[in-house]
Amino acid sequence: MSDRDMKQQQVLQALSALANATRLEIVRLLVPLGEEGLAAGRIAARLGLSASALSFHLSSLEQADLLTSQRISRQVFYRANHARLGNVISYLLNDCCAAHPQIRRCCTTAAASND
Amino acid sequence: MSDRDMKQQQVLQALSALANATRLEIVRLLVPLGEEGLAAGRIAARLGLSASALSFHLSSLEQADLLTSQRISRQVFYRANHARLGNVISYLLNDCCAAHPQIRRCCTTAAASND
DNA sequence: CAGACATTTCAATTACTCATGAAGTGTTGA
DNA sequence: TCAACACTTCATGAGTAATTGAAATGTCTG
């Protein structure tokens, strides 16, 4: 498997993980918390999810390397993997979209001009 | 439905569309062609897809507003919707990831620093 | 060690996605 | 108008994703 295919494979897994309302919310919640992270139970409470539903989605995100987890006593803290998120966005912009000027413009201006 | 939810809904549909190797290839192929676009048959030949398989994926991308189509006599030309692609990337970067510095860095440097 | 707590795993069900080939639609040229 | 062309739609089936509740795992406290 070529380097490029491997990279694409990882990006596809990340996109699949992000292509779900619940998981996108999880990422939105965790990104601003940075290294602090948040315990699974807290995430579940914040988003109104059952423990097992949450666990299902967290593992999907962790498999895609978009989150990391760390057990601290009874709780498991989850953190966003900012580097990986950056990679995914960068792939879309640079590899997939060839850094097309019109597409790139959206990401360099603070608020994207829509439609 | 709030403005924000509608936007997220559209982004989710776009992410679902992009989270597939075949469809990502289609986008990669069409982005650099710009307004010129490419006839469905040509896309199929380029990517080695059956007509019906291609049509299935094209309609998924068109539903997500990532492509536009135009019939010209017998052929149907497909073009990438650069504005929408930019919106999606921008959403990931700005709305979802709160323009986190570490994530943003990946998109402002030409080649993203990986891992 | 027993019980509570925090989370994950499992099993069963339902729903969706994708591939395939056959049939259908619209368009052109003989 | 008939046949070929360029696509799309439909029907079927296989595989994968998501939801639910119950059981299992690991951890702390009394």
Side-chain angles (χ1 to χ4, degrees):
Chain A
M1 197 189 242
S2 80
D3 217 53
R4 176 179 158 278
D5 286 346
M6 197 181 65
K7 197 172 167 191
Q8 175 169 314
Q9 202 45 51
Q10 291 172 340
V11 169
L12 281 171
Q13 193 178 6
L15 288 173
S16 296
L18 293 173
N20 172 284
T22 300
R23 291 192 292 262
L24 202 54
E25 286 302 327
I26 294 172
V27 171
R28 287 171 69 104
L29 177 59
L30 292 180
V31 164
L33 297 179
E35 287 310 301
E36 188 187 343
L38 198 59
R42 292 298 197 86
I43 301 173
R46 271 299 215 69
L47 304 182
L49 298 168
S50 73
S52 86
L54 177 71
S55 195
F56 170 77
H57 290 298
L58 286 174
S59 92
S60 156
L61 288 165
E62 197 177 10
Q63 283 259 117
D65 208 17
L66 292 167
L67 301 184
T68 59
S69 68
Q70 184 186 9
R71 173 149 223 153
I72 296 183
S73 93
R74 281 196 255 198
Q75 304 176 94
V76 178
F77 283 80
Y78 283 87
R79 295 171 182 77
N81 181 348
H82 298 116
R84 167 62 81 211
L85 278 163
N87 289 166
V88 172
I89 297 172
S90 164
Y91 181 91
L92 287 179
L93 187 58
N94 298 307
D95 294 64
C96 170
C97 293
H100 193 283
Q102 192 184 354
I103 298 172
R104 168 168 288 276
R105 195 153 43 81
C106 294
C107 301
T108 49
T109 58
S113 64
N114 293 318
D115 302 61
Chain B
M1 198 190 241
S2 80
D3 217 53
R4 177 179 157 278
D5 286 346
M6 196 179 66
K7 197 171 167 189
Q8 175 168 315
Q9 202 46 50
Q10 291 172 340
V11 169
L12 282 171
Q13 194 178 7
L15 288 173
S16 296
L18 294 172
N20 173 283
T22 300
R23 290 190 294 260
L24 204 52
E25 286 304 326
I26 294 172
V27 171
R28 289 170 70 102
L29 176 59
L30 293 180
V31 163
L33 297 180
E35 287 309 304
E36 189 186 344
L38 198 60
R42 293 296 197 86
I43 301 173
R46 271 298 214 73
L47 304 182
L49 298 167
S50 73
S52 85
L54 177 71
S55 197
F56 171 76
H57 290 298
L58 287 174
S59 91
S60 157
L61 288 165
E62 196 176 11
Q63 283 260 117
D65 209 17
L66 292 167
L67 300 184
T68 59
S69 67
Q70 183 187 7
R71 173 149 223 155
I72 296 183
S73 93
R74 282 197 254 201
Q75 304 178 94
V76 178
F77 283 79
Y78 284 88
R79 297 171 179 76
N81 180 348
H82 298 115
R84 167 62 81 212
L85 278 164
N87 288 166
V88 172
I89 297 172
S90 165
Y91 180 91
L92 287 178
L93 187 59
N94 298 307
D95 294 65
C96 169
C97 293
H100 194 283
Q102 193 184 352
I103 298 172
R104 172 168 284 277
R105 195 154 41 83
C106 294
C107 302
T108 49
T109 59
S113 64
N114 293 316
D115 302 58

